Amino acid sequence: MDADDADAGGGPRERILAATAKLLAEGGREAASTRAVGAAAGVQAPTIYRLFGDMRGLLDAVAAEGFAAYLSSKTDRQPTADPVEDLRAGWDLHIGFGLANPALYLLMNEPRLGDTAAPPAAVAGEKVLATHIRRIAEAGRLRVSEERAAHLVQAAGLGTTVTLITMPADRRDLELSALAREAVIAAITTDTPAATSPGPVTAAVTLRAVLPRTTVLTDPEQRLLEEWLDRIADPAT
């Protein structure tokens, strides 16, 4: 590793990341060109390409760093005894981050078609959401499969945030977020655990969530039971 790759403060990598984040915040995606980043960071274009591969690699790195800071703000909040309330808090943090960092948020959630791997920041966000959904399932309060619940929350959260970002600030309807949040929560959760509100789907979702804790089944038996539970939890698949 040469001096340009050093992670110590003030190295080329850190200056490039900071310059790119600043350009994104001030002028959006179009402002973060190779020339503009190089000038702001005091480096030549070959240094950017050597450290990040290309502009896509650089933008992914900026998004990952920004999202790491976001995740820190989320994980600082300790889980409560109510996983549904924790999901509400996570939704509000998600919306707040997007509105405070619109260019970075849009970059983090830029669609990629085909076989292109999802941005690291998006993968990290999906893991956080999956944890919220799993806790609701373990509490017996998830009425759909974990996968469907996560997709619905993700789609609604992304759509709501982008809609609010594109609204003029003086006409931004923040109540839209609360309405969307409660509609999604009503669609995926129950008011009471499955034990007091029996039903095959909710029961299957709950058992599927806690199945990894069991040790009495062989691996083939566990995989078979997982398949059966998934079919009960989401008959459409």
Side-chain angles (χ1 to χ4, degrees):
M1 179 183 295
D2 61 37
D4 281 352
D5 295 321
D7 288 332
R13 178 182 174 84
E14 290 68 38
R15 296 202 309 272
I16 291 168
L17 289 171
T20 306
K22 188 171 186 292
L23 288 166
L24 284 168
E26 294 176 347
R29 174 70 177 273
E30 298 303 315
S33 65
T34 304
R35 182 186 298 273
V37 170
V43 300
Q44 299 297 316
T47 301
I48 297 175
Y49 297 136
R50 178 171 59 81
L51 291 173
F52 299 98
D54 53 21
M55 280 302 292
R56 165 53 61 194
L58 170 58
L59 292 173
D60 278 351
V62 171
E65 288 226 340
F67 196 66
Y70 163 53
L71 287 182
S72 177
S73 73
K74 293 190 74 169
T75 54
D76 281 348
R77 182 181 185 274
Q78 295 300 312
T80 71
D82 186 344
V84 176
E85 192 58 35
D86 289 341
L87 179 62
R88 280 193 177 91
W91 174 288
D92 292 343
L93 281 169
H94 181 98
I95 299 293
F97 176 82
L99 294 181
N101 306 273
L104 184 59
Y105 182 86
L106 294 174
L107 175 63
M108 287 165 48
N109 293 281
E110 188 174 58
R112 298 191 183 185
L113 304 178
D115 297 328
T116 304
V123 174
E126 289 169 2
K127 290 180 179 178
V128 172
L129 176 58
T131 299
H132 281 301
I133 298 299
R134 171 57 58 90
R135 288 188 63 233
I136 295 172
E138 290 175 344
R141 296 186 59 189
L142 197 64
R143 69 167 73 244
V144 298
S145 70
E146 291 181 53
E147 181 180 32
R148 176 163 292 182
H151 286 166
L152 181 55
V153 174
Q154 186 176 34
L158 175 60
T160 299
T161 308
V162 172
T163 298
L164 290 173
I165 286 173
T166 57
M167 286 181 177
D170 61 343
R171 299 207 307 269
R172 188 168 287 155
D173 180 10
L174 296 179
E175 184 64 18
L176 181 66
S177 173
L179 291 170
R181 180 194 66 208
E182 294 310 309
V184 170
I185 287 176
I188 68 172
T189 68
T190 63
D191 291 333
T192 55
T196 57
S197 180
V201 172
T202 305
V205 169
T206 305
L207 180 54
R208 179 67 173 83
V210 299
L211 192 59
R213 302 179 190 174
T214 63
T215 58
V216 296
L217 301 177
T218 65
D219 287 344
E221 289 172 339
Q222 183 139 337
R223 287 195 296 270
L224 181 59
L225 182 54
E226 287 172 353
E227 179 182 345
W228 288 343
L229 292 171
D230 286 341
R231 288 167 59 185
I232 296 170
D234 195 354
T237 61

